[in-house]
């Protein structure tokens, strides 16, 4: 299991973002992946069982991993809103007091992680 945390408090727009008047428009996670060789294959079919987890939310399998079969490395780009709701993501950020814990488990190794959350702040 690879674990890391995104500290969102460092962003100057954090206080606006975490307010109840914000709506997440997009949440893009980019992961650098390196696939080990197993049974003579680079990122064989076992990668289909790889999962991602945000904080205390249930693990999710990513359909985007299909493109990694036979590839030694690459960048996975995932729209987290395809797997988690806006309120789930915001609640995990609030629960972590601005820190978003993440996990990736199984076959691929994480070489880097980046998250880009775009929110729209609505007027009161």
């Amino acid at each position: 299991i690879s674990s890391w945390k995104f500290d969102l408090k460092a962003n100057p727009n954090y206080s606006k973002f975490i307010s109840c008047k914000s709506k997440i428009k997009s949440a893009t996670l980019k992961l650098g992946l390196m696939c080990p060789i197993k049974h003579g294959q680079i990122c064989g079919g076992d990668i289909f069982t790889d999962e991602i987890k945000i904080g205390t939310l249930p693990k999710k399998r990513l359909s985007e991993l299909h493109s990694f079969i036979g590839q030694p490395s690459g960048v996975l780009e995932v729209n987290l809103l395809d797997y988690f709701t806006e309120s789930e993501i915001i609640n995990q950020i609030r629960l972590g007091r601005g820190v978003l814990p993440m996990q990736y488990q199984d076959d691929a190794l994480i070489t880097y992680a980046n998250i880009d959350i775009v929110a729209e702040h609505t007027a009161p």
Side-chain angles (χ1 to χ4, degrees):
I1 296 177
S2 297
S3 300
W4 66 94
K5 296 177 183 178
F6 292 113
D7 186 352
L8 304 175
K9 298 181 310 259
N11 186 306
N13 295 316
Y14 173 74
S15 60
K16 277 187 184 178
F17 165 73
I18 204 65
S19 79
C20 58
K21 297 175 185 75
S22 289
K23 177 172 175 51
I24 294 178
K25 293 177 70 173
S26 67
T28 304
L29 176 67
K30 288 184 184 178
L31 298 177
L33 299 179
M34 188 171 73
C35 300
I37 297 174
K38 281 181 137 182
H39 311 292
Q41 292 183 333
I42 299 172
C43 267
D46 288 350
I47 199 168
F48 292 135
T49 62
D50 288 18
E51 297 172 316
I52 192 146
K53 185 171 177 13
I54 297 177
T56 61
L57 297 175
K59 296 178 249 185
K60 303 286 181 163
R61 288 198 177 151
L62 306 175
S63 61
E64 292 86 351
L65 288 169
H66 294 248
S67 64
F68 280 87
I69 297 288
Q71 302 298 317
S73 64
V75 177
L76 176 69
E77 189 169 320
V78 177
N79 178 359
L80 292 175
L81 294 176
D82 289 343
Y83 297 94
F84 303 96
T85 67
E86 172 194 13
S87 62
E88 286 176 325
I89 294 170
I90 287 178
N91 287 339
Q92 290 300 304
I93 295 168
R94 285 187 177 131
L95 186 65
R97 295 189 172 144
V99 175
L100 188 63
M102 304 283 300
Q103 287 184 347
Y104 182 96
Q105 77 173 39
D106 216 357
D107 298 304
L109 305 173
I110 304 298
T111 57
Y112 77 89
N114 183 44
I115 194 164
D116 184 26
I117 299 175
V118 176
E120 180 176 67
H121 186 72
T122 57

